[in-house]
Amino acid sequence: MAMRRFDASSHRDSVESTQTSGHCPVWAAERRCEYIEGGGTKLRVQNADRQVIAALTAALPFIRPMIAASIEAIDTSAYPNEEEHFFGHRSPDAAKTDYQTLLKKIDTKTIPIEYEDRCKPQKAGYVYQGMPSDIHLCPTILDMAPEVLAGWIIHEMSHLYCQTDDHAYIDIGTLSNKKAQDNASSYQGFADTILYLQLSSKDRRTYQVNVTTSAGHEVNVRVENATAEEAELIASQIVAVNEHCQQYKDIRHKDAEEFSDVFFRTCGDINVKLMGTLHSGYDCDMKDDGSFSVSIPWLRKCAPGPVDPYLSLAGNSMYEAVVRGN
């Protein structure tokens, strides 16, 4: 039977067929099926090697707490700006119901995971709706921090158990109320946001990162409210986007030319502030003074990402932010 497949990190749905089993199949010697458990979550993982099992084991302690914290946050209205950003202006009752569905599945089921060696570039995972399906995860997950991988699993669980769609991966705050509450990345993003807002403030501070482009331009990037890892990621993305657009400038690509010029005008002092969510509805925005505001959960979801801005969520959204500002 042909079924609709929902892909993470891809803006297209494809129609394919598959078969799944409730039992572990026999794989090659280096691959195995394992049942792993932690943090109140149980997974059955197929076609997994040691690296895959290690990544999923590290993510396990975050999955259930992130879902439970999201339900509590909606119940108490503790984060109204974040609720509005991810689920629209109306009461997020539908979102709460879906989180409760996910929590029930966590508490009563073993979540089926299957690792896939071959996926399209930048794909994190996918599920098949309308039939029994595993959550298929891709090699991209091996580069993710444990809490980021937990967020992607919540994303795919919402597809599998709540029949959510993929209306947007970035700039979720620009969706209509109806689409926001039917968007898998909204559930992922809200859960990520609550997690990061609950982190101790002492873990975040202002970093000054000095980088040099291949053309020899010195770029000083000041990143507020960041971890050291996030500051380095922001700096590397800024340099990558600048260099990529400078190449396009040579063939008179208008938007890229404007983008590159902005960076060369502001070289020496680029300011970025990381926030829980942005009131503009975008995940990355640029102010009149050339400084950036960046959504923390979105940035973490993109990490580590390739340096090519047209292949990475981080670089592409920075590019769009600058073009909007011009």
Side-chain angles (χ1 to χ4, degrees), residues 204 223-227 230-231 234 272-278 292-296 299:
R204 297 189 169 276
V223 188
E224 299 179 41
N225 193 34
T227 65
E230 291 165 351
I234 283 285
V272 180
K273 183 174 183 180
L274 302 189
M275 304 172 66
T277 58
L278 309 186
F292 287 95
S293 295
V294 174
S295 161
I296 295 171
L299 175 67

PDB file of all heavy atoms in Angstrom, residues 204 223-227 230-231 234 272-278 292-296 299:
ATOM      1  N   ARG A 204      25.011  30.672  30.775  1.00  0.00           N
ATOM      2  CA  ARG A 204      24.963  31.536  29.591  1.00  0.00           C
ATOM      3  C   ARG A 204      25.619  32.872  29.906  1.00  0.00           C
ATOM      4  O   ARG A 204      25.381  33.446  30.957  1.00  0.00           O
ATOM      5  CB  ARG A 204      23.513  31.742  29.145  1.00  0.00           C
ATOM      6  CG  ARG A 204      22.858  30.448  28.725  1.00  0.00           C
ATOM      7  CD  ARG A 204      21.510  30.660  28.076  1.00  0.00           C
ATOM      8  NE  ARG A 204      21.085  29.399  27.476  1.00  0.00           N
ATOM      9  CZ  ARG A 204      21.457  28.991  26.274  1.00  0.00           C
ATOM     10  NH1 ARG A 204      22.203  29.786  25.518  1.00  0.00           N
ATOM     11  NH2 ARG A 204      21.081  27.834  25.806  1.00  0.00           N
ATOM     12  N   VAL A 223      28.466  37.562  20.988  1.00  0.00           N
ATOM     13  CA  VAL A 223      27.260  36.749  21.133  1.00  0.00           C
ATOM     14  C   VAL A 223      26.809  36.783  22.597  1.00  0.00           C
ATOM     15  O   VAL A 223      27.521  36.323  23.489  1.00  0.00           O
ATOM     16  CB  VAL A 223      27.501  35.288  20.691  1.00  0.00           C
ATOM     17  CG1 VAL A 223      26.186  34.524  20.656  1.00  0.00           C
ATOM     18  CG2 VAL A 223      28.174  35.245  19.324  1.00  0.00           C
ATOM     19  N   GLU A 224      25.618  37.347  22.821  1.00  0.00           N
ATOM     20  CA  GLU A 224      25.073  37.468  24.178  1.00  0.00           C
ATOM     21  C   GLU A 224      24.196  36.262  24.523  1.00  0.00           C
ATOM     22  O   GLU A 224      23.557  35.678  23.656  1.00  0.00           O
ATOM     23  CB  GLU A 224      24.232  38.737  24.303  1.00  0.00           C
ATOM     24  CG  GLU A 224      24.969  40.033  24.070  1.00  0.00           C
ATOM     25  CD  GLU A 224      24.044  41.233  24.191  1.00  0.00           C
ATOM     26  OE1 GLU A 224      23.191  41.230  25.103  1.00  0.00           O
ATOM     27  OE2 GLU A 224      24.145  42.143  23.351  1.00  0.00           O
ATOM     28  N   ASN A 225      24.155  35.927  25.825  1.00  0.00           N
ATOM     29  CA  ASN A 225      23.261  34.889  26.358  1.00  0.00           C
ATOM     30  C   ASN A 225      23.514  33.545  25.694  1.00  0.00           C
ATOM     31  O   ASN A 225      22.597  32.831  25.308  1.00  0.00           O
ATOM     32  CB  ASN A 225      21.795  35.297  26.157  1.00  0.00           C
ATOM     33  CG  ASN A 225      20.844  34.426  26.962  1.00  0.00           C
ATOM     34  OD1 ASN A 225      21.171  33.987  28.059  1.00  0.00           O
ATOM     35  ND2 ASN A 225      19.668  34.172  26.411  1.00  0.00           N
ATOM     36  N   ALA A 226      24.783  33.173  25.569  1.00  0.00           N
ATOM     37  CA  ALA A 226      25.157  31.976  24.820  1.00  0.00           C
ATOM     38  C   ALA A 226      26.023  31.040  25.649  1.00  0.00           C
ATOM     39  O   ALA A 226      26.659  31.446  26.625  1.00  0.00           O
ATOM     40  CB  ALA A 226      25.902  32.369  23.544  1.00  0.00           C
ATOM     41  N   THR A 227      26.044  29.770  25.236  1.00  0.00           N
ATOM     42  CA  THR A 227      27.069  28.853  25.700  1.00  0.00           C
ATOM     43  C   THR A 227      28.257  29.000  24.762  1.00  0.00           C
ATOM     44  O   THR A 227      28.147  29.566  23.666  1.00  0.00           O
ATOM     45  CB  THR A 227      26.566  27.397  25.665  1.00  0.00           C
ATOM     46  OG1 THR A 227      26.319  27.023  24.302  1.00  0.00           O
ATOM     47  CG2 THR A 227      25.274  27.244  26.472  1.00  0.00           C
ATOM     48  N   GLU A 230      27.509  27.452  21.337  1.00  0.00           N
ATOM     49  CA  GLU A 230      26.601  28.246  20.513  1.00  0.00           C
ATOM     50  C   GLU A 230      27.303  29.458  19.910  1.00  0.00           C
ATOM     51  O   GLU A 230      27.066  29.824  18.758  1.00  0.00           O
ATOM     52  CB  GLU A 230      25.398  28.680  21.347  1.00  0.00           C
ATOM     53  CG  GLU A 230      24.476  27.535  21.725  1.00  0.00           C
ATOM     54  CD  GLU A 230      23.500  27.893  22.834  1.00  0.00           C
ATOM     55  OE1 GLU A 230      23.645  28.979  23.437  1.00  0.00           O
ATOM     56  OE2 GLU A 230      22.606  27.078  23.108  1.00  0.00           O
ATOM     57  N   ALA A 231      28.175  30.086  20.695  1.00  0.00           N
ATOM     58  CA  ALA A 231      28.909  31.248  20.190  1.00  0.00           C
ATOM     59  C   ALA A 231      29.803  30.866  19.021  1.00  0.00           C
ATOM     60  O   ALA A 231      29.884  31.584  18.015  1.00  0.00           O
ATOM     61  CB  ALA A 231      29.739  31.866  21.317  1.00  0.00           C
ATOM     62  N   ILE A 234      27.570  30.263  15.909  1.00  0.00           N
ATOM     63  CA  ILE A 234      27.113  31.517  15.300  1.00  0.00           C
ATOM     64  C   ILE A 234      28.234  32.149  14.471  1.00  0.00           C
ATOM     65  O   ILE A 234      28.033  32.565  13.331  1.00  0.00           O
ATOM     66  CB  ILE A 234      26.647  32.504  16.394  1.00  0.00           C
ATOM     67  CG1 ILE A 234      25.262  32.100  16.917  1.00  0.00           C
ATOM     68  CG2 ILE A 234      26.621  33.931  15.874  1.00  0.00           C
ATOM     69  CD1 ILE A 234      24.123  32.420  15.970  1.00  0.00           C
ATOM     70  N   VAL A 272      25.188  39.521  18.138  1.00  0.00           N
ATOM     71  CA  VAL A 272      24.123  38.535  18.103  1.00  0.00           C
ATOM     72  C   VAL A 272      23.622  38.305  19.524  1.00  0.00           C
ATOM     73  O   VAL A 272      24.421  38.147  20.456  1.00  0.00           O
ATOM     74  CB  VAL A 272      24.608  37.191  17.519  1.00  0.00           C
ATOM     75  CG1 VAL A 272      23.472  36.173  17.491  1.00  0.00           C
ATOM     76  CG2 VAL A 272      25.184  37.387  16.123  1.00  0.00           C
ATOM     77  N   LYS A 273      22.302  38.310  19.704  1.00  0.00           N
ATOM     78  CA  LYS A 273      21.716  38.000  21.001  1.00  0.00           C
ATOM     79  C   LYS A 273      20.833  36.772  20.869  1.00  0.00           C
ATOM     80  O   LYS A 273      19.941  36.728  20.025  1.00  0.00           O
ATOM     81  CB  LYS A 273      20.884  39.172  21.531  1.00  0.00           C
ATOM     82  CG  LYS A 273      20.324  38.908  22.934  1.00  0.00           C
ATOM     83  CD  LYS A 273      19.617  40.134  23.502  1.00  0.00           C
ATOM     84  CE  LYS A 273      19.132  39.859  24.921  1.00  0.00           C
ATOM     85  NZ  LYS A 273      18.448  41.040  25.502  1.00  0.00           N
ATOM     86  N   LEU A 274      21.093  35.767  21.691  1.00  0.00           N
ATOM     87  CA  LEU A 274      20.278  34.553  21.684  1.00  0.00           C
ATOM     88  C   LEU A 274      19.102  34.724  22.643  1.00  0.00           C
ATOM     89  O   LEU A 274      19.253  35.219  23.758  1.00  0.00           O
ATOM     90  CB  LEU A 274      21.115  33.341  22.095  1.00  0.00           C
ATOM     91  CG  LEU A 274      22.353  33.049  21.242  1.00  0.00           C
ATOM     92  CD1 LEU A 274      22.949  31.703  21.614  1.00  0.00           C
ATOM     93  CD2 LEU A 274      22.029  33.090  19.768  1.00  0.00           C
ATOM     94  N   MET A 275      17.914  34.295  22.187  1.00  0.00           N
ATOM     95  CA  MET A 275      16.689  34.459  22.967  1.00  0.00           C
ATOM     96  C   MET A 275      15.872  33.169  22.904  1.00  0.00           C
ATOM     97  O   MET A 275      16.088  32.318  22.039  1.00  0.00           O
ATOM     98  CB  MET A 275      15.868  35.631  22.409  1.00  0.00           C
ATOM     99  CG  MET A 275      16.633  36.947  22.360  1.00  0.00           C
ATOM    100  SD  MET A 275      15.733  38.256  21.494  1.00  0.00           S
ATOM    101  CE  MET A 275      14.334  38.476  22.601  1.00  0.00           C
ATOM    102  N   GLY A 276      14.898  33.046  23.821  1.00  0.00           N
ATOM    103  CA  GLY A 276      14.017  31.886  23.812  1.00  0.00           C
ATOM    104  C   GLY A 276      13.188  31.851  22.545  1.00  0.00           C
ATOM    105  O   GLY A 276      13.181  30.882  21.790  1.00  0.00           O
ATOM    106  N   THR A 277      12.468  32.927  22.270  1.00  0.00           N
ATOM    107  CA  THR A 277      11.718  33.089  21.024  1.00  0.00           C
ATOM    108  C   THR A 277      11.791  34.542  20.613  1.00  0.00           C
ATOM    109  O   THR A 277      12.100  35.412  21.423  1.00  0.00           O
ATOM    110  CB  THR A 277      10.231  32.697  21.189  1.00  0.00           C
ATOM    111  OG1 THR A 277       9.657  33.503  22.219  1.00  0.00           O
ATOM    112  CG2 THR A 277      10.080  31.241  21.547  1.00  0.00           C
ATOM    113  N   LEU A 278      11.477  34.810  19.350  1.00  0.00           N
ATOM    114  CA  LEU A 278      11.514  36.168  18.830  1.00  0.00           C
ATOM    115  C   LEU A 278      10.090  36.641  18.563  1.00  0.00           C
ATOM    116  O   LEU A 278       9.285  35.926  17.970  1.00  0.00           O
ATOM    117  CB  LEU A 278      12.327  36.237  17.534  1.00  0.00           C
ATOM    118  CG  LEU A 278      13.727  35.612  17.562  1.00  0.00           C
ATOM    119  CD1 LEU A 278      14.446  35.895  16.246  1.00  0.00           C
ATOM    120  CD2 LEU A 278      14.538  36.154  18.728  1.00  0.00           C
ATOM    121  N   PHE A 292      21.834  40.909  15.209  1.00  0.00           N
ATOM    122  CA  PHE A 292      20.930  39.777  15.017  1.00  0.00           C
ATOM    123  C   PHE A 292      20.287  39.369  16.341  1.00  0.00           C
ATOM    124  O   PHE A 292      20.907  39.448  17.408  1.00  0.00           O
ATOM    125  CB  PHE A 292      21.691  38.557  14.486  1.00  0.00           C
ATOM    126  CG  PHE A 292      22.111  38.665  13.054  1.00  0.00           C
ATOM    127  CD1 PHE A 292      23.378  39.122  12.731  1.00  0.00           C
ATOM    128  CD2 PHE A 292      21.246  38.298  12.033  1.00  0.00           C
ATOM    129  CE1 PHE A 292      23.775  39.211  11.402  1.00  0.00           C
ATOM    130  CE2 PHE A 292      21.632  38.384  10.713  1.00  0.00           C
ATOM    131  CZ  PHE A 292      22.903  38.835  10.395  1.00  0.00           C
ATOM    132  N   SER A 293      19.044  38.891  16.237  1.00  0.00           N
ATOM    133  CA  SER A 293      18.411  38.150  17.327  1.00  0.00           C
ATOM    134  C   SER A 293      18.181  36.741  16.802  1.00  0.00           C
ATOM    135  O   SER A 293      17.701  36.551  15.686  1.00  0.00           O
ATOM    136  CB  SER A 293      17.068  38.780  17.724  1.00  0.00           C
ATOM    137  OG  SER A 293      17.260  40.073  18.264  1.00  0.00           O
ATOM    138  N   VAL A 294      18.532  35.748  17.604  1.00  0.00           N
ATOM    139  CA  VAL A 294      18.462  34.355  17.159  1.00  0.00           C
ATOM    140  C   VAL A 294      17.763  33.516  18.216  1.00  0.00           C
ATOM    141  O   VAL A 294      18.037  33.642  19.410  1.00  0.00           O
ATOM    142  CB  VAL A 294      19.881  33.796  16.894  1.00  0.00           C
ATOM    143  CG1 VAL A 294      19.828  32.315  16.580  1.00  0.00           C
ATOM    144  CG2 VAL A 294      20.541  34.547  15.748  1.00  0.00           C
ATOM    145  N   SER A 295      16.844  32.646  17.777  1.00  0.00           N
ATOM    146  CA  SER A 295      16.143  31.734  18.670  1.00  0.00           C
ATOM    147  C   SER A 295      17.084  30.622  19.112  1.00  0.00           C
ATOM    148  O   SER A 295      17.682  29.930  18.292  1.00  0.00           O
ATOM    149  CB  SER A 295      14.930  31.141  17.947  1.00  0.00           C
ATOM    150  OG  SER A 295      14.484  29.971  18.580  1.00  0.00           O
ATOM    151  N   ILE A 296      17.218  30.441  20.415  1.00  0.00           N
ATOM    152  CA  ILE A 296      18.130  29.422  20.953  1.00  0.00           C
ATOM    153  C   ILE A 296      17.751  28.010  20.504  1.00  0.00           C
ATOM    154  O   ILE A 296      18.598  27.268  19.999  1.00  0.00           O
ATOM    155  CB  ILE A 296      18.198  29.496  22.494  1.00  0.00           C
ATOM    156  CG1 ILE A 296      18.805  30.828  22.935  1.00  0.00           C
ATOM    157  CG2 ILE A 296      19.020  28.335  23.056  1.00  0.00           C
ATOM    158  CD1 ILE A 296      18.719  31.069  24.435  1.00  0.00           C
ATOM    159  N   LEU A 299      18.612  27.449  16.870  1.00  0.00           N
ATOM    160  CA  LEU A 299      20.050  27.345  16.633  1.00  0.00           C
ATOM    161  C   LEU A 299      20.554  25.973  17.034  1.00  0.00           C
ATOM    162  O   LEU A 299      21.325  25.336  16.313  1.00  0.00           O
ATOM    163  CB  LEU A 299      20.801  28.424  17.415  1.00  0.00           C
ATOM    164  CG  LEU A 299      22.330  28.345  17.341  1.00  0.00           C
ATOM    165  CD1 LEU A 299      22.809  28.641  15.925  1.00  0.00           C
ATOM    166  CD2 LEU A 299      22.976  29.305  18.331  1.00  0.00           C
TER     167      LEU A 299
END
